């Protein structure tokens, strides 16, 4: 799309010199995966839930023309960041560069990312960084794009980036980028457990294809999500949701990381209503009855040596947290 399609709905204002934006990680409460398509992708039908584990991106105007990035880690899950690219392949940098094409006077910018969502963990942490960078640079450069316009840019960066902008609860179809907001007002309580390793999303999808070929399973293109999932999300009834949660990628993730099966069993033993691998994994999400039950489960998992954190959802999407200068 061209910049000519975007028009400012607001009068010019003085842009800040530095802004901070927070964007949430997500859980796939339900994930159905279709067969491998000729374009190399898989169709999905998923229910996304934004949870209270936020990435943070601070964007600061610089004198030079470049877009640069640094990364550190914070929070209970102790996310390692040594393998995150700090060049043009970083998804937040790509987001800023994409937005610069729509800004009248884009400046140089430094992006400092504080990671809290597990890296290569199936929770869309990189997508959250990209969404936060879009919102931050939109504020820095006074582009005044609508959320719909930002979502159009986001879709070109990755299937999960539009949801990181939207937040809340949504049904995702296509490759996950065709989003429809879903009603889900009552908080659901989860405990996340991070692994000491990551899993490649393409690798997990490849393992799923191999499993289906070995077992001679013919997958169908998913056209909708299970209505029982949406009903449970609407009601906020954790027990009803526990009975219908599903993830087609879980078997593939367990093949690549067999120890996750033991972790799933541990969570159930310690009181979780249900547990599943989040997205392509290896982060595991355990559903709890309520906030006190989630706190107890977090403490029990930590006592057994796991990096666990209680969260809730739905929460808002990428949002400006502060601005200065």
């Amino acid at each position: 799309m061209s910049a000519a399609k975007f028009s400012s709905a607001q009068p010019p204002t003085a842009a800040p010199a530095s802004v901070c934006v927070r964007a949430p990680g997500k859980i796939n409460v339900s994930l159905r995966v279709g067969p491998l398509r000729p374009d190399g992708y898989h169709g999905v039908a998923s229910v996304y839930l934004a949870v209270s584990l936020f990435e943070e991106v601070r964007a600061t105007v610089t004198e030079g023309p470049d877009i640069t990035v640094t990364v550190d880690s914070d929070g209970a899950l102790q996310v390692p960041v040594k393998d995150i690219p700090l060049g043009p392949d970083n998804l937040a940098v790509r987001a800023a560069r994409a937005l610069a094409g729509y800004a009248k006077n884009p400046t140089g910018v430094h992006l400092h990312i504080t990671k809290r969502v597990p890296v290569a963990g199936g929770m869309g942490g990189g997508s959250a960084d990209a969404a936060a960078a879009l919102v931050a640079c939109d504020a820095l450069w006074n582009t005044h794009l609508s959320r719909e316009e930002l979502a159009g840019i986001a879709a070109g960066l990755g299937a999960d980036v539009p949801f990181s902008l939207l937040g809340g609860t949504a049904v995702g179809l296509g490759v996950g980028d065709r989003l429809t907001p879903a009603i889900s007002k009552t908080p659901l309580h989860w405990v996340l457990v991070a692994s000491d390793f990551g899993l490649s999303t393409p690798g997990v999808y490849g393992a799923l294809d191999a499993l289906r070929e070995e077992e001679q399973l013919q997958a169908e293109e998913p056209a909708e999500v299970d209505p029982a999932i949406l009903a449970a999300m609407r009601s906020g009834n954790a027990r009803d949701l526990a009975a219908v949660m599903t993830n087609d990628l879980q078997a593939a993730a367990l093949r690549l990381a067999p120890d996750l099966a033991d972790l799933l069993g541990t969570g159930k033993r310690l009181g979780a209503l249900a547990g599943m691998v989040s997205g392509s994994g290896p982060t595991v999400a355990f559903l709890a009855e309520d906030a006190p039950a989630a706190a107890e489960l977090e403490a029990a998992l930590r006592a057994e040596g796991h990096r666990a954190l209680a969260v809730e959802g739905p929460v808002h999407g990428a949002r400006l947290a502060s601005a200065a200068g």
Side-chain angles (χ1 to χ4, degrees), residues 26 28-33 43-48 172 205 225 229 245-250 276-280:
K26 56 83 180 170
N28 294 81
V29 177
S30 174
L31 179 57
R32 291 295 189 189
V33 180
V44 302
S46 184
V47 178
Y48 297 107
Y205 275 93
V225 301
I229 294 275
M245 287 163 45
T246 186
N247 179 4
D248 282 356
L249 291 178
Q250 180 162 299
M276 67 178 183
V277 172
S278 177
S280 57

Side-chain angles (χ1 to χ4, degrees), residues 211-225:
L211 278 171
R212 286 173 169 173
E213 185 174 353
E214 290 172 15
E215 298 173 6
Q216 298 183 336
L217 297 176
Q218 296 296 319
E220 296 183 357
E221 191 73 11
E224 62 181 5
V225 301

Side-chain angles (χ1 to χ4, degrees), residues 58-78:
R58 180 168 293 280
T60 304
V61 171
T62 59
E63 292 184 2
D66 296 334
I67 297 171
T68 58
V69 63
T70 52
V71 182
D72 67 7
S73 177
D74 183 35
L77 296 183
Q78 304 166 28

